[in-house]
Amino acid sequence: MFDPKAIRKDFPILARTVHGKPLVYLDNAATSQKPRQVIQTLVECYEMYNSNVHRGVHTLSMEATERYETARQKAADFIKSPAPEGVIFVRNTTEAINLVASAWATDNVGRGDEIVVSEMEHHSNLVPWQKVAAQKGAHLKLLPATDDGVIDVTALDTVITPRTKLVSVVHVSNVTGAVNPVKEIGRRAHQVGALFMLDGAQSVPHMPVDVQDLDCDFLAFSGHKMMAPPGIGVLYARLSVLEKMEPFLRGGEMVREVWYDHATWNDLPNKFEAGTPNFTDAVALGAAIDYLNALGMDAVRQHEVELGAYALKAFAQLEEVDVLGPKDARQRAGLVTFTAGDIHPHDLGTFLDHEGIAIRTGHHCVMPYHRKLGLVATGRASFYVYNTNDEVDLLVQSLKNALAYFAHAS
Ligand code: C6P
């Protein structure tokens, strides 16, 4: 049985206090906490087999290499990649998207071509494409969002055209929480011969994600949002696409043979992993995946839908609080972005922090969409496997206290 109270015991940090109150950690969309099993994996790595991978014939190097490649297989299985070579280890979602914007777009986007994103993209899936568009003389086009904060599929046929080379959208919005209709978007992209990329930063940690079922050509995600350390992430790519791409970075390990004036490239995935990779954190990502698999991703998703529904219902009772995104908890991930009357989100964040509650406040690196909604900043509570209804109750009670406090203060 899925038991968040038992799960909490695996996360040492959840036992600490903040300002004398038990920590209520509701900033999981920014980064998640780490279970003992992941922390222990890192300790074991440094204490037992730390050594460079793919470079040594000695025992430690071979042990490290074996564990690094096992982690790749685990990541591949987690997203149902048909082959481990389709998993490129990178630092994070941002680097994964930049890899595609650099290595793929350089040779595949030309003057007058189109790149399509949505208007709710994180800066990581917008700013790299602005550069590609400017350099290549291409057009960056936007899929609009509905009033409910979901990518509007009625716009697909007009925005995505035969000139479109790539459609890259956020699977789950880190602002509206919407689970976007990505299969439909991908179908339309492929219909016009474009490639289809998903920003999976907020989906892969929270729900089953199957790259074959979604039929995406690229998928980017970050380890630190799914219980692994920061500094390790994944770019999944379809092998047939990856094979035709030039390398992203050049240097050691990505080469097969080097002469003074030229070089040839290593096989996949090494071709895209120049320099010593972050093998320790990759192994820890493998441990995080083991942890999530033991819980079961269907159960993780179910828990967050229930928690989200519970939070939406509680928030609905607060008159001054407006929640962004779909009304139906099944159409959204376990995160709730909101405004609370006239209280500036930063003041609210500070007030809640004094209650031991960590939420994120600001534009969440999605400035243009906030601007479009006429908002400068919002508050966001985001959940994970260890959060409970009791914590939602504490959040709601503290929100009520904040509303009363700031009403009195003004
Ligand atoms: N969003 C948030 O608090 P990195 O930083 O590369 O691991 O992830 C970037 C990123 C890309 N896409 C989406 C949808 C994201 O949510 C994020 C990270 C965090 O919402 C930090 S800004």
Side-chain angles (χ1 to χ4, degrees):
M1 203 194 88
F2 193 92
D3 180 359
K5 291 206 167 109
I7 292 170
R8 294 178 74 79
K9 298 200 175 99
D10 287 332
F11 292 78
I13 204 170
L14 298 179
R16 71 162 282 180
T17 55
V18 171
H19 297 298
K21 311 268 172 59
L23 169 66
V24 175
Y25 187 76
L26 301 177
D27 195 16
N28 294 285
T31 202
S32 70
Q33 298 304 344
K34 322 301 174 199
R36 229 177 276 281
Q37 291 83 338
V38 168
I39 299 167
Q40 195 48 43
T41 299
L42 279 174
V43 172
E44 189 192 66
C45 175
Y46 287 118
E47 288 186 348
M48 296 303 294
Y49 58 88
N50 177 51
S51 179
N52 209 329
V53 293
H54 293 306
R55 284 156 173 83
V57 291
H58 57 79
T59 300
L60 262 56
S61 178
M62 287 193 290
E63 283 183 17
T65 303
E66 198 269 321
R67 283 174 165 87
Y68 180 57
E69 292 307 325
T70 301
R72 191 189 309 280
Q73 184 66 59
K74 286 179 186 177
D77 293 343
F78 193 63
I79 55 168
K80 307 283 188 293
S81 166
E85 294 81 9
V87 166
I88 310 295
F89 282 124
V90 291
R91 280 190 301 147
N92 46 36
T93 304
T94 304
E95 185 171 300
I97 296 170
N98 273 275
L99 193 163
V100 178
S102 171
W104 177 82
T106 305
D107 296 323
N108 292 284
V109 178
R111 181 159 295 280
D113 286 342
E114 299 165 352
I115 296 156
V116 174
V117 299
S118 82
E119 60 183 16
M120 67 176 80
E121 296 307 322
H122 188 279
H123 300 161
S124 294
N125 193 32
L126 177 66
V127 179
W129 304 116
Q130 292 173 346
K131 179 164 184 228
V132 170
Q135 274 184 339
K136 297 287 187 173
H139 304 291
L140 182 56
K141 293 170 79 178
L142 299 174
L143 286 166
T146 65
D147 291 344
D148 258 359
V150 186
I151 295 176
D152 186 355
V153 288
T154 63
L156 293 181
D157 288 356
T158 44
V159 178
I160 301 172
T161 77
R163 288 305 312 253
T164 306
K165 291 288 185 241
L166 178 82
V167 179
S168 182
V169 294
V170 67
H171 190 179
V172 168
S173 164
N174 65 325
V175 173
T176 70
V179 181
N180 281 312
V182 292
K183 276 174 107 167
E184 274 181 82
I185 300 170
R187 252 196 306 276
R188 173 65 185 158
H190 288 153
Q191 199 179 56
V192 299
L195 294 192
F196 179 49
M197 169 143 150
L198 281 176
D199 171 351
Q202 301 293 351
S203 59
V204 175
H206 300 281
M207 59 183 61
V209 170
D210 178 335
V211 291
Q212 296 183 60
D213 180 52
L214 295 173
D215 200 18
C216 57
D217 301 289
F218 299 109
L219 168 75
F221 60 98
S222 301
H224 70 94
K225 295 188 198 287
M226 52 189 287
M227 303 183 188
I232 189 72
V234 167
L235 172 69
Y236 157 81
R238 203 188 287 279
L239 285 186
S240 55
V241 175
L242 220 41
E243 271 153 10
K244 287 192 217 122
M245 276 165 60
E246 280 291 300
F248 172 44
L249 301 173
R250 288 163 166 78
E253 196 52 35
M254 50 74 67
V255 285
R256 181 181 304 288
E257 285 196 85
V258 181
W259 289 264
Y260 279 121
D261 60 349
H262 72 284
T264 56
W265 311 141
N266 206 339
D267 293 332
L268 294 173
N270 308 58
K271 179 173 134 186
F272 289 99
E273 292 184 4
T276 299
N278 183 0
F279 54 91
T280 45
D281 291 334
V283 175
L285 173 61
I289 288 172
D290 288 343
Y291 190 92
L292 285 164
N293 280 336
L295 295 178
M297 289 311 289
D298 283 319
V300 169
R301 168 77 181 138
Q302 180 63 24
H303 172 66
E304 291 179 23
V305 169
E306 285 169 13
L307 213 47
Y310 187 79
L312 286 183
K313 201 166 156 204
F315 273 53
Q317 277 150 25
L318 303 177
E319 220 173 89
E320 300 96 322
V321 172
D322 284 326
V323 172
L324 272 58
K327 312 277 174 298
D328 183 345
R330 286 164 305 181
Q331 280 179 15
R332 51 190 297 148
L335 68 86
V336 182
T337 299
F338 59 93
T339 54
D342 292 335
I343 311 177
H344 192 284
H346 289 320
D347 292 337
L348 180 64
T350 306
F351 185 96
L352 294 178
D353 181 54
H354 280 86
E355 302 293 310
I357 301 173
I359 65 160
R360 182 156 177 199
T361 54
H363 51 62
H364 320 300
C365 300
V366 188
M367 217 190 270
Y369 187 59
H370 269 80
R371 198 177 287 122
K372 189 205 152 178
L373 296 178
L375 298 166
V376 176
T378 47
R380 184 188 68 191
S382 53
F383 311 124
Y384 212 6
V385 294
Y386 34 70
N387 291 123
T388 62
N389 286 357
D390 293 347
E391 289 181 310
V392 174
D393 290 342
L394 280 171
L395 170 67
V396 171
Q397 185 53 52
S398 295
L399 266 174
K400 282 185 193 159
N401 296 346
L403 287 162
Y405 173 84
F406 286 103
H408 186 65
S410 57

